[in-house]
């Protein structure tokens, strides 16, 4: 079982040595997060080569939406220098930052904060994590694929922006709620040419999709997180060389991935994305190359004991 998270109200000045560096993931809920195992394993490896990393550590802290604004300056005072954000903070944090890089602005969301003495600055490593994960698990490059993304939440928006930034001509974006879909396309349309984003309702796959070549389907909905959840999309009629990636990694095989496997399609789950977004964040904070293999090994170990 992952360790229990730290709770904000009990957070004391536990960084006694000025050289200590704190990193943490903030979220609500956060108890399930395996990020500390991944990062602390990579920090152990870094400290074998450079002793200064022995004083670095990565925590998970339960922080609700209403606590975020007061928490960020407090963490800086306590010695935290890098923060990852997960549900529900990735969008709401934007006005609390002194700057946000171009990629994260295009995504409209931030998952990595860096302290630079003037305040917290924002980056987003989710799109990079997805790109690397898809390449590692499915052997495809985003820019060489016809992309179909399911969902219109923060993860779908980051994925769409990453594909468009990488030069994909068009991205097909499908969602259950059409109102939310329109909101996301409107927001992305302020950064990218709007004709590059084509939308559909999850219940009605447009017939043109069946004719697309090198199709990559990416699930960025949360449908599949529960064991008995149905698949968000029927794969019937899609070419048999379609590749399928599900951002969900727990459970390791969602109904979508089971359908893809039965149809003989190459598929992969979101563990590789989790690992690569984490490795990139640690590289940003440390300025060192971080081995994603160490993190992947730790993630697989953590998943063996995950509930
Ligand atoms: P979010 O903002 O809450 O968005 C949830 C999305 O799921 C919405 O598009 C929503 O559609 C859809 N959805 C929820 N229930 C549904 C249902 N019953 N039928 C059809 N669609 C449904 O969440 P998020 O932050 O974007 O995250 C989405 C998923 O990506 C989560 O499973 C998360 O764990 C995963 N993720 C993985 C990684 C990784 O590193 N592997 C990173 C980020 C996110 P409506 O708009 O219609 O409600």
């Amino acid at each position: 079982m992952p360790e229990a998270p730290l709770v904000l109200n009990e957070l004391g000045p536990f960084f006694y040595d000025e050289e200590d560096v704190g990193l943490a993931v903030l979220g609500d809920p956060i108890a399930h997060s395996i990020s500390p195992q991944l990062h602390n394993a990579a920090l152990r490896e870094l400290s074998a080569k450079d002793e200064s990393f022995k004083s670095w550590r990565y925590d998970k802290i339960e922080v609700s939406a209403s606590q975020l604004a007061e928490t960020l300056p407090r963490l800086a005072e306590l010695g935290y220098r890098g923060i990852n954000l997960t549900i529900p903070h990735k969008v709401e944090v934007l006005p609390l930052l002194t700057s946000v890089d171009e990629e994260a602005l295009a995504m409209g969301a931030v998952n990595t904060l860096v302290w630079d003495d003037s305040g917290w600055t924002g980056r987003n490593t989710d799109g990079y994590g997805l790109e690397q994960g898809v390449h590692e698990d499915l052997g495809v490059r985003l820019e060489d694929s016809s992309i179909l993304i399911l969902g219109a939440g923060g993860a779908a928006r980051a994925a769409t922006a990453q594909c468009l930034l990488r030069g994909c001509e068009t991205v097909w974006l499908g969602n259950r709620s059409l109102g939310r879909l329109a909101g996301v396309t409107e927001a992305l349309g302020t950064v990218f040419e709007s004709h590059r984003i084509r939308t559909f309702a999850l219940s009605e796959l447009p017939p043109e999709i069946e004719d697309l070549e090198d199709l990559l389907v990416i699930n960025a909905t949360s449908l599949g997180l529960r064991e008995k959840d149905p698949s968000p999309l029927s794969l019937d009629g899609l070419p048999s060389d379609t590749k399928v990636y599900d951002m969900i990694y727990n459970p390791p095989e969602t109904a979508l991935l089971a359908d893809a496997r039965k149809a003989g399609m190459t598929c992969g789950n979101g563990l590789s994305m989790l690992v690569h977004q984490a490795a990139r964040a640690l590289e940003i904070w440390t300025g060192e190359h971080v081995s994603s293999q160490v993190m992947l090994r730790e993630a697989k170990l953590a998943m063996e004991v995950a509930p």
Side-chain angles (χ1 to χ4, degrees), residues 220-274:
T221 76
S222 44
L223 191 60
L225 280 174
R226 285 171 301 192
E227 289 280 352
K228 295 211 166 98
D229 275 352
S231 169
L233 183 83
S234 165
L235 299 172
D236 292 349
L238 295 186
S240 61
D241 65 353
T242 298
K243 311 271 194 317
V244 182
Y245 190 82
D246 199 324
M247 288 194 191
I248 294 171
Y249 56 87
N250 189 13
E253 187 176 81
T254 58
L256 175 72
L257 291 184
D259 288 351
R261 179 174 50 76
K262 285 176 206 151
M265 296 171 177
T266 307
C267 50
N269 74 25
L271 203 64
S272 50
M273 174 178 175
L274 178 81

Side-chain angles (χ1 to χ4, degrees), residues 8-9 11 26 62-78 89 93 96 120:
L8 189 65
N9 292 338
L11 214 58
L26 315 185
E62 191 176 274
V63 176
S64 68
S66 63
Q67 290 172 311
L68 186 66
E70 57 169 301
T71 302
L72 291 181
R74 198 156 145 222
L75 290 180
E77 276 168 27
L78 288 172
H89 303 309
V93 75
L96 305 174
W120 290 105

Side-chain angles (χ1 to χ4, degrees), residues 33-259:
S33 173
I34 60 170
S35 291
Q37 284 110 301
L38 272 60
H39 283 273
N40 286 321
L43 284 171
R44 279 194 297 278
E45 192 184 72
L46 286 177
S47 35
K49 291 179 209 137
D50 178 346
E51 292 224 336
S52 65
F53 289 112
K54 282 198 171 139
S55 55
W56 290 55
R57 66 184 223 198
Y58 188 106
D59 299 317
K60 62 180 161 189
I61 309 175
E62 191 176 274
V63 176
S64 68
S66 63
Q67 290 172 311
L68 186 66
E70 57 169 301
T71 302
L72 291 181
R74 198 156 145 222
L75 290 180
E77 276 168 27
L78 288 172
Y80 286 88
R81 293 294 172 258
I83 299 286
N84 277 143
L85 297 169
T86 185
I87 291 173
H89 303 309
K90 287 184 188 181
V91 177
E92 283 66 18
V93 75
L94 287 167
L96 305 174
L97 304 176
T98 52
S99 69
V100 177
D101 84 348
E102 219 172 291
E103 228 164 273
L105 269 183
M107 291 170 184
V110 157
N111 78 333
T112 301
L113 305 188
V114 183
W115 178 257
D116 77 354
D117 289 335
S118 64
W120 290 105
T121 63
R123 311 271 291 260
N124 195 317
T125 66
D126 278 337
Y128 168 86
L130 171 72
E131 183 174 9
Q132 296 298 314
V134 158
H135 188 250
E136 189 169 279
D137 289 352
L138 311 179
V140 296
R141 299 188 329 155
L142 296 177
E143 59 269 41
D144 297 336
S145 308
S146 303
I147 311 270
L148 190 75
I149 295 173
L150 316 177
R157 182 169 161 169
T160 306
Q162 185 73 17
C163 294
L164 295 171
L165 286 167
R166 279 294 159 269
C168 297
E169 195 56 35
T170 311
V171 172
W172 287 84
L173 192 58
N175 197 46
R176 174 183 61 176
S177 144
L178 295 182
R180 197 167 181 194
L181 187 59
V184 169
T185 50
E186 196 184 319
L188 284 166
T190 62
V191 185
F192 304 99
E193 298 129 300
S194 42
H195 68 82
R196 295 177 69 197
I197 306 158
R198 308 208 33 197
T199 58
F200 63 97
L202 274 188
S203 50
E204 284 172 57
L205 200 59
E208 302 99 288
I209 284 176
E210 295 179 12
D211 300 327
L212 295 177
E213 287 178 2
D214 303 315
L215 187 60
L216 169 62
V217 175
I218 299 170
N219 181 32
T221 76
S222 44
L223 191 60
L225 280 174
R226 285 171 301 192
E227 289 280 352
K228 295 211 166 98
D229 275 352
S231 169
L233 183 83
S234 165
L235 299 172
D236 292 349
L238 295 186
S240 61
D241 65 353
T242 298
K243 311 271 194 317
V244 182
Y245 190 82
D246 199 324
M247 288 194 191
I248 294 171
Y249 56 87
N250 189 13
E253 187 176 81
T254 58
L256 175 72
L257 291 184
D259 288 351

